[in-house]
Each structure stands twice: as C-alpha cells, then as structure tokens.
C-alpha cells in the first residue's frame, strides 16, 4: 500500500493494556495503519514503546500533536485524562478512539461527544468485548435466526483473578466493577438484545480491602420485551476460574445459545443440539488466558481503521457508547435507591 494512503496513528498512554493496541496497530500495517508516534508522560514507557514498535516517542500530547501529522489518535490512558486528550484531538480535527470507560462521569462523556460534534471530528470508543471472536460467533448464530427471537439472557463475568496486581489503581476506584468490566457486559447485552427500557441492580463489596463495589447483579428489561441478567464480580471463589471469559446464555423462541468456560458454544435449534469450540486463535503476541481479549483488540482496531478510512461511523462510536454508559449510570442509581431506573438519554445540543 502506498505510504501516502496510510492512516497515520498516534497513541497516548503506553501502559498496561496499550501493549495490545501497539501490537494490533503493528499487525494492521498491511491494511493501512502506520503507527507514527507514541506518547506517555512516563518517558521510560514511551521510549520503550517507540523502540519496540518503531515510532517517535513523546512525553507530552500537545507536543506530539504539534510536531506530527496524525490522522487518528488512540487514547489508551485511564479515564480521568480522556476528556482533555480527546478535546486536544477534536480542536485539531484529528479523529480519536478512546479506551473504555469513556470518562469518569456521564457529564464528561457527553462533553467529549459534544466537543467532537462541534468540531465535526470522527470519534469512537474502544469497546472490545463485542468484537471478540466468541461474541461475534454468538451474534452470528442470533443473526442466522437459529434460535428465533432472543428473549432472555444471562451474561456473566465472574472471577477471583487478582486484577489489582496488574491494575493497582482499581483498588482505589469508588465505582469499580460496573464501570470497569460490567460496562463491557452491559454493552454485550445491548449488542445481543437491543436497547434497555429499565434496570435494577444490587451491588456488594465483598473484598474489604478496596474502595468500590466488586460485585454487581443487574436485571434489565429491554425495549423488545426481552429480559437479561448481567453479572460481574472480581470476588468469585471458584475453581476453575473462568477469567477473563464472559459466559453467555441466550434463550430464544426456537432455541438457546450457551457459551461455557473454555470458549465452547452449545446451540439448541429446533430441538437439535450441537457443540463447537469457538475460541480465538493464539497470535504471536497473545497468550492464554488473555488471548481472547487481546485478539479482540486487533478486531476492534481493524474495525476502527476500516470505518475511519471509509468515512463511516464506527459501530461503537462516541454516540453509541453513551447508550452503554447510560446503563452504567442507571445501574449505580438503581443500586443506591433500590428502585428500577430508566437509563438517561442524551439529546444533542445541535
Ligand atoms: N478493553 C479492555 O479489555 C481493557 C483492559 C484493561 C484496561 N482497559 C482500559 O485501558 C485504559 C488504561 O488502563 P491501563 O491499566 O493500561 O492503565 P495504565 O495506568 O497502565 O496506563 C496508562 C498510561 O497512560 C499514561 N498517561 C496518563 N495520562 C497521560 C497523559 N495525559 N499523557 C500521556 N500519558 C498519560 C500513564 O503514564 C500510563 O503509563 C483504562 O481506561 C482501562 O479501563 C481496557
């Protein structure tokens, strides 16, 4: 592919999870991605990423934007910095992909979306769970009509894996499991069953050494009339532990899809049962048990690249992700009030 046709990518935040993004952008070179710059306020992290992935290193985002010609910026910092960094990109008419969670609050998420709209810039959220091979297969079965109309689901992310080791900041978050991982599972519920009318939620803090809730059980009524249960916990004591897999059970008018630990999919359709292994293949840079999540980053980045290059809105655009974030907000409110809550809706200013 001609160099001038490449999409020039800058990445901000070369920390824990960004390593997957860096590998994914490198894998997407032949599809038009060119990682030109990496930035981290920790000079050792940006230098290491620059050296490993062949890009120019920066410690300040403003300087990176001023010195480099960037088409698309991948913001992989923690959520507190997303609003300021996304605004820097929008003001320069640079497209942006922002890691989940979009921002620490609903108001900040709206602000990021409004700013991008004002500057007419392309904006997406890196919500990778729906792009995982397993979840794409589940969606494929739903779309094939094999289970008829899906009308009930249970989606579970339950683990006791020590997430605080790799991401120590999680122990300090006041809003923990719903905002950190529940958000992915809520997005899957939307992806499989559509938008949500109202939800109720119970939260628990079962680990006394952290600030926020580590367990959430959410019950949702979707606009289609279907019902789902979304579960997430970092405090499950079960052997074998399913980390980091999302287990799925979807019942429809004509059948059922079940995804069990070990990425096995069992489908019952019109009274006939079959089972299939649907896990992600290992790539040169992925390793078990994270390979499914890591490969999902590659699929997500590919979707971002293709959508941006085609001038299309991404499936997980900023505006789409507000609908997922609205479920997070509603869940916290429902847990605090003990009532069923309608997710907040965003109305564009213009
Ligand atoms: N999609 C997933 O499955 C998944 C998994 C893990 C983490 N995440 C998300 O990824 C994001 C990053 O998480 P992490 O655990 O990798 O964090 P991290 O702290 O390891 O990395 C963030 C990096 O950003 C740098 N940084 C912060 N502000 C900056 C700024 N203004 N300019 C330049 N650099 C800056 C920090 O120095 C740090 O190196 C979070 O939003 C997290 O929720 C997503």
């Amino acid at each position: 592919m001609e160099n001038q046709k490449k999409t020039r990518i800058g990445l901000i935040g070369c920390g824990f999870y960004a390593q997957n993004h860096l590998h994914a952008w490198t894998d997407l070179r032949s599809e038009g991605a060119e990682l030109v710059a990496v930035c981290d306020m920790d000079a050792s992290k940006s230098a290491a990423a620059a050296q490993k992935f062949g890009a120019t290193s920066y410690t300040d985002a403003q300087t990176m934007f001023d010195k480099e010609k960037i088409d698309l910026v991948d913001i992989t910092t923690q959520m507190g910095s997303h609003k300021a960094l996304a605004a820097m990109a929008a003001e320069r008419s640079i497209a942006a992909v922002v890691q989940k969670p979009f921002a620490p609050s609903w108001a900040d998420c709206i602000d990021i979306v409004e700013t991008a709209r004002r500057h007419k810039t392309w904006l997406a959220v890196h919500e990778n769970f729906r792009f995982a091979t397993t979840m794409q297969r589940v969606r494929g079965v739903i779309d094939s009509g094999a289970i008829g109309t899906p009308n009930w689901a249970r989606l579970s992310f339950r683990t006791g894996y020590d997430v605080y080791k790799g991401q120590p900041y999680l122990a300090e978050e006041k809003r923990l499991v719903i905002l950190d991982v529940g958000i992915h599972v809520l997005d899957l519920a939307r992806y499989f069953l559509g938008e949500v009318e109202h939800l109720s939620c119970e939260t628990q803090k079962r680990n006394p050494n952290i600030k926020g809730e580590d367990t959430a059980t959410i019950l949702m009524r979707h606009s289609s009339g279907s019902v789902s249960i979304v579960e997430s916990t970092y405090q499950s004591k079960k052997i074998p532990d399913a980390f980091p897999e999302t287990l799925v059970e979807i019942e429809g008018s004509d059948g059922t899809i079940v995804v069990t630990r070990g990425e096995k999919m069992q489908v019952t359709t019109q009274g006939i049962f079959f089972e299939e292994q649907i896990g992600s293949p290992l790539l040169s840079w992925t390793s078990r048990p994270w390979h499914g999540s890591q490969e999902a980053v590659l699929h997500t980045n590919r979707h971002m690249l293709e959508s941006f290059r085609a001038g299309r809105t991404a499936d997980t655009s900023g505006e789409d992700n507000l609908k997922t974030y609205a479920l997070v907000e509603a869940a916290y409110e429902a847990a605090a009030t003990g009532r069923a809550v309608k997710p907040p809706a965003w109305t564009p200013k213009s």
Side-chain angles (χ1 to χ4, degrees), residues 12-13 15-17 39-41 45 76-79 81-82 99-101 128 167 169 180 184:
I12 308 175
F16 168 71
Y17 206 68
C39 173
D40 197 297
M41 51 211 257
K45 289 189 188 174
T76 54
T77 55
Q78 292 177 31
M79 63 181 167
S81 52
H82 292 175
Q99 246 296 352
K100 58 55 70 177
N128 55 332
Q167 298 167 278
Y169 60 91
D180 190 55
H184 289 299

Side-chain angles (χ1 to χ4, degrees), residues 14 39-47 58-59:
C14 307
C39 173
D40 197 297
M41 51 211 257
D42 178 334
S44 64
K45 289 189 188 174
S46 57
Y58 292 90
T59 52

Side-chain angles (χ1 to χ4, degrees), residues 79-80 99-106 109 127 170 173-186 203 213 216 218 232 234 321 324-329 331-332:
M79 63 181 167
Q99 246 296 352
K100 58 55 70 177
F102 210 173
S105 71
W106 172 242
C109 296
E127 172 45 73
L170 290 179
E173 295 290 350
K174 289 202 186 89
R175 307 204 301 173
L176 175 57
V177 84
I178 301 175
L179 190 52
D180 190 55
V181 79
I183 196 167
H184 289 299
V185 192
L186 289 165
T203 55
E213 87 291 352
I218 303 173
S232 50
Y234 286 149
N321 199 257
T324 293
Y325 202 97
L327 302 182
V328 169
E329 287 294 300
Y332 281 114

Side-chain angles (χ1 to χ4, degrees), residues 315-331:
D315 290 355
T316 56
S317 64
E319 298 186 16
D320 175 83
N321 199 257
L322 284 181
K323 294 181 191 157
T324 293
Y325 202 97
L327 302 182
V328 169
E329 287 294 300

